[in-house]
Amino acid sequence: MDLVLRGAACLATPVFGSACGPTDGGANGSGGASTDTGSTVGEAGSSTGSVTGEAEVGSTGSTGDDDTAGETSSSAGPKMDPEIDCLEMQWSWTNDDTPGSSASHVAFDGELRVLEREDGVPDAARVLRGFDLNGDPTLAPIVVASGVRVDMAARPTGGLLFALHDGESSALEVWSSAGELVESVDISSMGDALDRPVVMAHPDGSVVFGGDVVGDERESVLQTRVNDGFSWERRGDYEFVLALDGNGSGVTLALLGANPFDEGYDVFVAAYDPLGEFLWSVPTGSVSGVLKTSLPSYDFAAQGEGAVTLGALIGVDTETRQGTRDLVVSHYDANDRMPAWSTAVPFVDGPSTTMDDGGIAVVGEQIVAIGGRTIPTIAVLDFNGTVLCSGGLSIPGQDLHIADIQPVDADTVVLAGSVTSDGGSAASRTWIASLTVSP
């Protein structure tokens, strides 16, 4: 199955020195599949949703008229339960028009970009949406791809990167902030497509693409591309790549999995210099649970020369999935194979909470971590691991799932995921929210 892509006509100047799309098949299908005019979802007003107000946690409200967004309506607002002293909800947005939708990624390139999976659209379309920092839609929804694995990251110079895999081929795409496809590059390692692709960009514009290939055994792959094309590749250091980040000086930090076993796998943070040379790695422990369902259970964020990690499935029986669950945040660096510190925050929702969801972000001088489902537990910590505040994030009558977290500035973080009603049996709806973090 070829990638099904819908984007605006390719721009004239490629970023990595290649044509906008292959002309003889490959990751984007046969000639010109990546140069189609952009496809929007639904009729006029398809980007409408519910926006809840700015002032108080749990309040309701709506935004004014907007040509892109159409009319908006108010709904029951989210609340902190118990109220969390150092977090304030500014606004939230729910996609009431598309049952079965959920946000998988959020990025910031001067505006918020949300990647949404819409099960109601044929072949599970991945739809790009745009919002300003007040929660007002700014970009008519665009179908980026259908029936594929996708990762998304912002470019330092503006615009977005997409890593895609359809089971047979993989590609790196560059999109402008206006939702235009700039360039598409086939990605492979010795002819093998990369499964579970992840992508990130360094401040100098170089891009790191990660994933894994499966031959006689599973091998991790890391590749870097610079403005004039391919730079370096590392293959087989570990088994698979969970996430990528950078420390601002060109060093790539990778969260990597190794030694998969029947009930889980080992996790490492590894660092590579701008030329791809290995610098250091530290083990961060093991994750319980089968590989395919446990991958989202770990997340991390760079903090200086080290990395902060979010642990999951802590103290859980792998058969019953019951036990004590903690939101565990640990700091690792190159100086010691043991964590410099590790802090456990008990989940608000107790043993009923699933651990497949959450994320972590460095926001100014604080660390924000969130995990769990239904009533996710959110915590703010300082750089020494001290918990500044913590609690549950809930919406009355709704189950809440957080898939991604994105810092916007020194005191703002955006959450993206979905809400469901009727005990989780109703169709999900995309949900995003902006929170202010105070010391």
Side-chain angles (χ1 to χ4, degrees), residues 309-360:
T309 66
L310 169 64
L313 291 171
I314 304 301
V316 177
D317 185 286
T318 56
E319 293 184 0
T320 65
R321 313 296 287 179
Q322 297 297 305
T324 301
R325 288 169 168 85
D326 292 330
L327 183 66
V328 179
V329 182
S330 305
H331 179 79
Y332 295 84
D333 57 35
N335 299 321
D336 198 333
R337 293 177 64 84
M338 299 297 291
W341 53 260
S342 185
T343 301
V345 181
F347 271 105
V348 171
D349 206 20
S352 65
T353 301
T354 62
M355 285 295 301
D356 298 340
D357 314 287
I360 193 165

Side-chain angles (χ1 to χ4, degrees), residues 114-322:
V114 175
L115 189 62
E116 179 182 62
R117 177 187 175 99
E118 298 198 345
D119 289 337
V121 180
D123 298 322
R126 298 302 184 105
V127 176
L128 179 66
R129 294 180 178 272
F131 299 85
D132 64 21
L133 293 182
N134 294 316
D136 295 322
T138 58
L139 182 68
I142 300 170
V143 177
V144 174
S146 297
V148 300
R149 293 177 182 267
V150 184
D151 189 33
M152 178 178 76
R155 297 177 62 208
T157 55
L160 297 169
L161 299 167
F162 291 97
L164 307 102
H165 176 68
D166 69 348
E168 297 178 359
S169 55
S170 50
L172 169 66
E173 291 192 348
V174 182
W175 286 59
S176 72
S177 295
E180 298 166 315
L181 178 62
V182 178
E183 183 177 11
S184 179
V185 181
D186 289 347
I187 299 291
S188 64
S189 173
M190 295 183 284
D192 298 321
L194 274 63
D195 194 9
R196 283 189 288 265
V198 291
V199 66
M200 65 152 289
H202 285 296
D204 65 359
S206 61
V207 172
V208 183
F209 191 103
D212 61 80
V213 297
V214 181
D216 295 335
E217 58 185 27
R218 187 182 301 275
E219 296 180 280
S220 66
V221 176
L222 292 173
Q223 290 186 2
T224 292
R225 291 181 175 266
V226 294
N227 290 342
D228 57 354
F230 178 80
S231 179
W232 56 263
E233 174 181 290
R234 295 190 67 96
R235 174 167 171 166
D237 288 350
Y238 298 85
E239 274 75 29
F240 47 90
V241 183
L242 294 167
L244 296 171
D245 208 337
N247 66 0
S249 61
V251 172
T252 298
L253 293 168
L255 190 64
L256 301 153
N259 307 319
F261 48 92
D262 289 343
E263 295 183 346
Y265 52 93
D266 298 325
V267 179
F268 298 80
V269 174
Y272 301 87
D273 72 13
L275 299 179
E277 294 296 323
F278 175 82
L279 296 176
W280 52 266
S281 71
V282 293
T284 66
S286 298
V287 176
S288 301
V290 293
L291 179 65
K292 65 181 180 181
T293 61
S294 296
L295 285 176
S297 296
Y298 256 65
D299 193 16
F300 86 142
Q303 180 190 332
E305 295 300 318
V308 176
T309 66
L310 169 64
L313 291 171
I314 304 301
V316 177
D317 185 286
T318 56
E319 293 184 0
T320 65
R321 313 296 287 179
Q322 297 297 305

